[in-house]
Each structure stands twice: as C-alpha cells, then as structure tokens.
Amino acid sequence: MQLLPFSRKSIGDGVFVNVSNHFYYSDFGVCDNGEFRHHGRRYICTGTPGTGFIERESESHSYNRFVRRWLEAEIPSWWAMVTGREPNYGRELKRANIALREAVDPKKREILECYTNALTVGQGVEYMQRVVKALKNKMGHHKNKHMVSIVGRYKRIIENQEGIMHNVEYKVAEHYSPEVYEAYLSMCEAFVRMISSCRRIWHHDNSSRDEFAQVFFDMGVFDFISAEHYLPLMRDSHGVSYYLLPDAVLVGRSSVDFDLVPLKNMTVVVQEMAIEEPTELINSHLIDAACMIQIPSLDLAFYFNHMKVVFGFVDALNNLKSKL
C-alpha cells in the first residue's frame, strides 16, 4: 500500500523526479491518436482501467451533473489512494486473472484474456505517463534540453505501445461477418440518435411499482473492447451496465463480473404511451414518458420522453437480430 502521494525515482542520467503515486487518467487504449481526440469528446473512466464512456454533448443539466460527478472522482485524493478507491492496474490485473481462471464460457474467457493482456500493456504505459508528468513538473517554465529529450523518449515509447495495445484488444469487427457487423453499425447509429434526442430516460424497477429513476445511456467502453463506434451502453438504477455487442448483451456488474446474454432470441418490446389514456403508474410519478422499452429476459423496463427515435432503435436492433 502506498502511503505517500509520490515516490522519488531515478530515471537515469543522474535525473531524479518525484513520481506521483496517484492513478494517471488518460484515454490510452480507448481512443486512437486520430479523429476522436480531435472531436474534443472526453473519455470518462468509471473506476477501472479501460472501462467508462465517451462524454456526449447534451443540454440536460442532470446529464452534465452526472458527468461532473465522475470527473470529480478523478481529482487526486490521498484518502482515495490509500483506501484503494482509485483505479489501479496491478490490482485490476489480479482480479482479471482470478476471473479468467474461473470463467467457463468461451466468449467470456476470450474477452478476459484480451483484457489481461491489455492491462499488462497499460500498466507500463500508465507509469511512464506519471514519469512524463513528473519531468514536466520539475522543468516548470524553464526548459531543460536534457529533460526535454527524456520526455520525448518516453513519449515515443508510449506511441509504440499504442500499436501493441491495439493488437491485444478484443476487436469487435474481427468476430462477425460483414453482414452482421454492418447491421450492428446501423444499430449503433440508431442508438446514438436515440440518446441524442432523449433528454430524459427512466428505469422502472419492476420489483417496486413506486420506483422510477432517471438513468443515462451513452456510447461506452468495457475492458478495452475495441469497437468502431464504441459500445451502446444502457444503465439501470442499481449500478448495472448493459453493453450491446453484435450477438449478445454484456451485463456488467463490474469489470470482471459480467454475463453474456444471447441477443438472437431476446424479446425487446417497444410501446407507445397513450396520451389520451395515461396509465395510473405514469400519472402518479409525473414523468412525461412518450414510450417504453421492455426486455423481459433481463427484467428491464425503460421509459423515454421521445418516441420516433426509440422505435427506430428497436427496428435497427431487430434487423441485427435477423442477421444472426
């Protein structure tokens, strides 16, 4: 356990720096060097390396508060560090290896194998990123050619590691036929249109008639899984995340505790809420729901304040299912 916020390290050539012991948040392994970083969309880590979501533009105050809460969690805290509440590659690698030994499902094993490989690469890079930051802090505004050259050397190593990271990640496109993958991309685009248009989404807990909670859908990342448009991500009010893969819903309770539920025979019901005859349930909670989605096999019910884009998403999802 680290008790000090930094460690004094020698990086060669007689140079010593104070390297932070706090986790270094970055989009390494999540965003490519190219287009996504230039869009200005931030990757938000949600507690474990390689798992999180891509912030989207929204005028919703509640969504922006939701994003700010995660960003505030990234502020270095000594107490969070010593109590293990900061992300940690070493700790996560141990958990992933245990989960891999216990996994029986072949697809789950493949994802966990890729995850452990990605964590191994990411662990070394995260340390180098902390060293680079320490060097920059030591230089301040006074540029030192020798230290600048060391910084450049570390950055080149990190860039080389990005290629290695890309090779070890689980790449969605390589696991499906072109027809299925094309239908999956169309579904992802329909999902983006839906979450961009719906300012409010509620999860209804079927075990309690009185429980409606606002939730947020995003395009997400799980265990460094690499996808062209990221993974459609739904959340319930109990902290469970649902990532849509081309042939399954990944039900994630944590980065290493997840199930893969086949999509092909999954029933997804979409229903318009009758304005003329609103249900007592909706009326009693004063939510302006226009339609709902039910997924009985996952015991999920979501309500939306728009209708057309939700029907469009379900149509795209059903089209994907027809290709499986």
Side-chain angles (χ1 to χ4, degrees):
M1 177 189 295
Q2 296 286 356
L3 294 178
L4 295 177
F6 63 86
S7 299
R8 187 162 178 79
K9 300 287 186 180
S10 169
I11 57 172
D13 301 325
V15 178
F16 290 83
V17 291
N18 293 326
V19 179
S20 172
N21 289 325
H22 290 288
F23 181 80
Y24 186 90
Y25 289 90
S26 77
D27 58 8
F28 177 81
V30 172
C31 298
D32 292 331
N33 270 331
E35 54 179 305
F36 281 115
R37 287 182 183 173
H38 296 300
H39 284 310
R41 297 190 295 171
R42 290 180 291 188
Y43 160 64
I44 311 295
C45 177
T46 52
T48 51
T51 296
F53 64 98
I54 305 300
E55 179 188 17
R56 54 186 168 83
E57 291 185 6
S58 175
E59 296 180 357
S60 167
H61 296 299
S62 53
Y63 178 76
N64 290 324
R65 282 196 302 270
F66 170 74
V67 171
R68 282 198 300 272
R69 284 197 296 271
W70 281 113
L71 290 174
E72 287 167 0
E74 296 184 6
I75 299 172
S77 161
W78 176 84
W79 184 245
M81 182 185 71
V82 299
T83 55
R85 289 187 288 117
E86 285 187 353
N88 181 281
Y89 272 95
R91 183 174 65 242
E92 186 65 12
L93 190 54
K94 291 177 182 176
R95 296 174 67 232
N97 278 318
I98 292 171
L100 179 58
R101 287 196 297 270
E102 297 175 350
V104 176
D105 179 78
K107 191 178 185 71
K108 183 174 182 178
R109 284 190 59 84
E110 186 177 11
I111 290 173
L112 286 169
E113 284 173 356
C114 291
Y115 186 42
T116 56
N117 291 334
L119 287 170
T120 302
V121 176
Q123 185 175 28
V125 168
E126 190 260 347
Y127 174 73
M128 286 188 282
Q129 289 171 327
R130 287 188 278 126
V131 171
V132 169
K133 183 178 180 181
L135 282 163
K136 290 181 176 180
N137 289 340
K138 184 169 184 175
M139 283 191 295
H141 297 294
H142 306 286
K143 297 301 180 184
N144 178 295
K145 288 185 178 180
H146 179 53
M147 284 198 287
V148 168
S149 68
I150 297 174
V151 169
R153 186 167 70 241
Y154 272 102
K155 285 187 173 181
R156 287 191 294 274
I157 295 172
I158 292 172
E159 288 176 2
N160 290 334
Q161 291 297 301
E162 286 187 337
I164 297 173
M165 187 68 150
H166 182 69
N167 289 332
V168 301
E169 290 176 328
Y170 181 93
K171 289 180 277 297
V172 173
E174 295 181 357
H175 289 78
Y176 303 96
S177 68
E179 183 184 25
V180 169
Y181 191 61
E182 184 179 351
Y184 177 68
L185 292 182
S186 296
M187 183 274 292
C188 290
E189 291 168 1
F191 185 86
V192 169
R193 287 193 293 271
M194 179 179 71
I195 63 177
S196 299
S197 300
C198 294
R199 285 174 60 99
R200 290 178 295 278
I201 303 172
W202 297 271
H203 170 237
H204 176 238
D205 187 348
N206 292 325
S207 64
S208 171
R209 275 184 62 86
D210 297 326
E211 185 61 35
F212 274 87
Q214 187 174 10
V215 293
F216 305 99
F217 290 6
D218 282 295
M219 297 304 289
V221 183
F222 184 82
D223 288 5
F224 287 114
I225 293 175
S226 175
E228 185 173 339
H229 289 307
Y230 298 102
L231 305 177
L233 164 61
M234 306 182 293
R235 302 180 180 94
D236 68 17
S237 55
H238 304 300
V240 180
S241 298
Y242 303 84
Y243 299 85
L244 300 182
L245 294 171
D247 62 348
V249 176
L250 191 155
V251 183
R253 292 169 290 275
S254 76
S255 57
V256 296
D257 179 15
F258 61 90
D259 298 319
L260 291 162
V261 182
L263 186 61
K264 183 174 178 63
N265 298 316
M266 182 179 292
T267 300
V268 180
V269 180
V270 60
Q271 178 181 340
E272 179 182 359
M273 309 306 297
I275 298 176
E276 297 82 2
E277 300 178 7
T279 66
E280 179 184 346
L281 179 64
I282 298 298
N283 256 352
S284 63
H285 289 83
L286 301 177
I287 66 172
D288 55 341
C291 70
M292 66 177 294
I293 286 178
Q294 284 186 313
I295 310 177
S297 60
L298 298 177
D299 195 26
L300 286 176
F302 293 112
Y303 291 76
F304 304 81
N305 71 321
H306 282 289
M307 182 180 66
K308 185 177 179 180
V309 287
V310 178
F311 275 77
F313 161 67
V314 174
D315 285 344
L317 184 63
N318 286 332
N319 179 59
L320 169 61
K321 289 165 57 181
S322 71
K323 308 292 184 185
L324 298 174

